[in-house]
């Protein structure tokens, strides 16, 4: 199985500032045949189903504010939230869909300072 | 609009059986993979498996194969997740999940449609 790890476990950021969350896969999730990284990011809030934010490592899902951005390739990825808003308080989790079983990172808890 | 509506919360005892459901609407149910993801209390997400309703082709996570059964009813456009003998460790929130597919039918494993979740509690 591909193991996904995230750092930090939690972070506290001031409103309007930038939050950076890292995700690392135990094996590359880049397919050379199509040059795509099989990585997604989700936002998890209590009492709600997960919300897809980013897929293919850097493509924003429709309706997701452009302050959310994804980057990285191979085994190392980053979710950046710029101009942090109060509604961004949540847990953020990455997922690889390169190989079955699809696996998720343990999550990073984002709080407001 | 794609909608996945799940059955309600369940409280069961260890050793009991359970079948939870997810009704899909707003799309051609038979032609899209659909499956289940769980979230343990205070923990991350775990992918359980997917099924293709048209032919019942099913893919399980090795961690869950043999412990759960994923099925689908084409007539009622409903997917199911069932256990024959629950354990306390099965207590979790279970989400119905539909991975994204292209118009040509190519499916990728990221999930753009989710059910509202079914809380399963197993306790004596």
């Amino acid at each position: 199985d591909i193991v996904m790890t995230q750092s930090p476990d939690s972070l506290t950021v001031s409103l309007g500032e930038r939050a950076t969350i890292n995700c690392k896969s135990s094996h590359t999730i880049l397919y050379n045949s199509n040059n795509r990284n099989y990585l997604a990011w989700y936002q998890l809030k209590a009492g709600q189903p997960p919300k897809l934010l980013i897929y293919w490592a850097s493509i924003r899902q429709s309706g997701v504010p452009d302050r959310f951005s994804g980057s990285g390739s191979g085994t190392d990825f980053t979710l950046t939230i710029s101009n942090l808003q109060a509604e961004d308080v949540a847990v953020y989790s990455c997922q690889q869909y390169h190989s079955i079983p699809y696996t998720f990172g343990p999550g990073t808890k984002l709080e407001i300072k | 609009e794609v909608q996945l509506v799940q059955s309600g919360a369940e409280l069961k005892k260890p050793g009991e059986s359970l079948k939870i459901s997810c009704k899909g609407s707003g799309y051609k149910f038979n032609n899209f993979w659909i499956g289940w993801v769980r979230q343990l209390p205070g923990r991350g997400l775990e992918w359980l498996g997917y099924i293709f309703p048209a032919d019942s082709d099913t893919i399980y996570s090795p961690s869950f194969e043999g412990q759960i059964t994923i099925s689908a009813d084409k007539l009622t456009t409903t997917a199911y997740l069932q256990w024959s003998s629950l354990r306390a460790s099965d207590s979790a929130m279970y989400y119905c999940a539909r991975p994204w597919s292209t118009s040509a039918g190519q499916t990728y494993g990221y999930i753009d449609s989710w059910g509202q979740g079914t809380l399963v509690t197993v306790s004596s």
Side-chain angles (χ1 to χ4, degrees), chain A residues 42 44 48-50 55 95 97, chain B residues 39 47 95 109-111 114-115:
Chain A
Y42 299 88
L44 281 64
Q48 300 179 23
Y55 57 95
Q95 177 215 3
Y97 49 98
Chain B
Q39 183 172 23
W47 179 78
Y95 290 104
Y110 67 87
I111 301 161
W114 297 81

Side-chain angles (χ1 to χ4, degrees), chain A residues 1 34 36 38 40 42 44-45 47-52 54-56 61 93 95 97 100-107, chain B residues 37 39 42-48 50 59-63 93 95 99-100 107-112 114-117:
Chain A
D1 297 5
N34 58 13
R36 285 180 167 180
Y38 284 54
Y42 299 88
L44 281 64
K45 292 185 175 181
Q48 300 179 23
K51 177 184 179 181
L52 175 66
I54 302 282
Y55 57 95
W56 300 127
Q61 172 71 338
S93 180
Q95 177 215 3
Y97 49 98
I100 288 173
Y102 303 134
T103 46
F104 295 83
Chain B
V37 172
Q39 183 172 23
R43 301 276 300 276
L45 300 168
E46 296 179 285
W47 179 78
L48 306 185
Y50 287 149
I59 306 169
Y60 290 98
S61 167
S63 298
M93 179 69 81
Y95 290 104
W100 183 76
T107 299
Y108 298 98
Y110 67 87
I111 301 161
D112 66 333
W114 297 81
Q116 83 275 20

